[in-house]
Amino acid sequence: KINPEKRYVIAQGGITLYELHAELAKHNLAMICIGSISDQTLAGVISTASHGSGVHYGVISTQVMAITLLLADGSYVTCSRSDHSDLFMATLCGLGATGLILSIQLEVEPAFHLKEIQESQPFDVVMKEFDGLAASAEHVRFWWFPSKDVIRCSYSDRTQEPKNPAGSWWWHSLLGHHLMQLLLFLGRFFLALNTVAANFACWLISGKSVGIDDGHRIFNVDCRYPQFTMEWAIPFDNAKSCIEDLRSWLKREYDDPYGLRPHFPIEIRFSSADDIWLSPSFGQRTCWIGIVQYKPFGYNVPYRKLFHGFETIMSRHQGRPHWAKAHHLQSGNLRKLYPHFDDFVRTLEKYDSYGLFRSEYIQRHIFGMPINGRFFKLRR
């Protein structure tokens, strides 16, 4: 169901964001703010409080008006802030544990174009003006190349101007994709080539660019290759000191002939505070910081030592991990980070007393059961 006048859509939980964009466009509507990809299902981005970027824009779950679920006992229920509010607040970042999401009533807005300006700036320049730059456009995001001490800045605002997509021929060419992947593959054996690849990528996109396109096409970016990824939500007030600590740690690694040579870039995004029980943005304006290790040609690369060092710094700055990405926090740690953690647990016990929807992940991270995170068994 689509209601253009009241600006909402009711969609099945299994629809992908790509499909949803296409359906909304037929009615001159669009999602308000989305992340870097649209491959996920709508239920998936809701269940993990996934996000885009903008200091005045919440995680995607904040755009949800109502959810219809199939519960463990076989009953159907529609919940919202006014009906079954405990179930609603739990399901807005429910990790698939409250029930099967059948449909979602989602707030949308009239279709819009975004005008994106990208430019590269020295790290120190961005840090000096960090707070102001983060709020200088509706949607701001940074891509940091530590090996060059350069940050690629993206500033996007709604516009009435006609579409005029930007594109770096170099970045999307044979050099920008295939040569880069080859360098990353060889970097599995010769670590110095990872730095060469990072510096090469930083150079390829160093020029200023201006592009205008449909909102979701600007929000989405080419994530290029399969990857291991980790992202944490840091209180905005702690963001600068956290990033400076990351810089110091990575500098020590680069100065060590046998140190880590991570892939690129480190992504920095923002979201407003919300009241969703398990949202990493609960109660705080948030700076999201994410790292990647690509899998060139599908081959694995070392990542655990890098992720451990990153996690340690994020935790030191009161960070909360993104639920859809790698982390090692257990129920004891998470309970300290989320004031409504026990409310969430009680809601699971109320609506699923037999644990039908308690995956290994839920048992391990929410209920504290000793289930090895690296053990997977064949389901029959």
Side-chain angles (χ1 to χ4, degrees), residues 99-114:
L100 297 179
I101 296 179
L102 302 181
S103 66
I104 296 166
Q105 182 178 351
L106 185 74
E107 180 185 2
V108 294
E109 68 172 278
F112 57 91
H113 292 166
L114 284 176

Side-chain angles (χ1 to χ4, degrees), residues 123-354:
F123 178 92
D124 290 333
V125 171
V126 175
M127 286 298 102
K128 183 178 180 180
E129 304 295 334
F130 187 82
D131 291 8
L133 291 177
S136 63
E138 290 178 285
H139 306 282
V140 175
R141 51 191 170 179
F142 301 136
W143 296 288
W144 171 27
F145 293 80
S147 61
K148 291 292 287 183
D149 231 14
V150 167
I151 294 180
R152 183 70 173 175
C153 307
S154 166
Y155 309 102
S156 298
D157 288 294
R158 284 158 179 74
T159 181
Q160 299 297 318
E161 296 179 57
K163 289 197 288 188
N164 183 22
S168 167
W169 182 84
W170 284 99
W171 181 239
H172 295 290
S173 70
L174 175 68
L175 292 179
H177 186 91
H178 298 292
L179 176 58
M180 191 70 65
Q181 186 165 206
L182 178 60
L183 287 173
L184 292 170
F185 174 77
L186 295 175
R188 298 169 68 238
F189 310 101
F190 308 100
L191 287 180
L193 287 179
N194 289 330
T195 303
V196 172
N199 294 345
F200 181 49
C202 186
W203 172 76
L204 279 176
I205 61 172
S206 58
K208 183 176 181 178
S209 68
V210 179
I212 303 169
D213 210 335
D214 295 324
H216 68 89
R217 300 185 191 281
I218 296 291
F219 287 136
N220 286 173
V221 298
D222 182 359
C223 294
R224 314 203 67 77
Y225 319 113
Q227 56 192 246
F228 298 106
T229 180
M230 174 177 281
E231 185 177 31
W232 282 59
I234 306 300
F236 185 86
D237 292 341
N238 298 354
K240 285 179 64 175
S241 60
C242 180
I243 294 169
E244 291 285 3
D245 276 1
L246 278 176
R247 184 197 199 191
S248 298
W249 167 55
L250 290 173
K251 185 178 186 305
R252 291 193 298 272
E253 295 294 337
Y254 282 121
D255 290 342
D256 181 353
Y258 304 101
L260 296 170
R261 298 295 184 269
H263 292 171
F264 58 89
I266 294 176
E267 187 174 42
I268 301 169
R269 294 181 285 174
F270 308 94
S271 64
S272 63
D274 61 57
D275 63 351
I276 298 167
W277 288 354
L278 289 193
S279 167
S281 290
F282 177 87
Q284 62 188 27
R285 189 166 57 146
T286 299
C287 174
W288 299 80
I289 304 175
I291 58 173
V292 298
Q293 284 290 92
Y294 297 113
K295 299 171 65 176
F297 304 112
Y299 287 93
N300 284 337
V301 296
Y303 69 93
R304 294 188 203 173
K305 185 177 179 181
L306 174 69
F307 282 17
H308 174 73
F310 179 80
E311 246 184 344
T312 300
I313 294 174
M314 296 296 106
S315 294
R316 190 185 306 153
H317 292 272
Q318 292 77 55
R320 297 167 175 163
H322 193 315
W323 290 106
K325 300 181 182 180
H327 73 90
H328 294 95
L329 297 193
Q330 301 299 310
S331 58
N333 311 108
L334 294 167
R335 181 172 280 105
K336 296 175 183 177
L337 294 175
Y338 292 98
H340 287 282
F341 187 88
D342 288 324
D343 292 324
F344 180 77
V345 171
R346 281 190 289 270
T347 301
L348 298 190
E349 292 171 338
K350 175 181 176 181
Y351 290 97
D352 184 11
S353 58
Y354 292 103

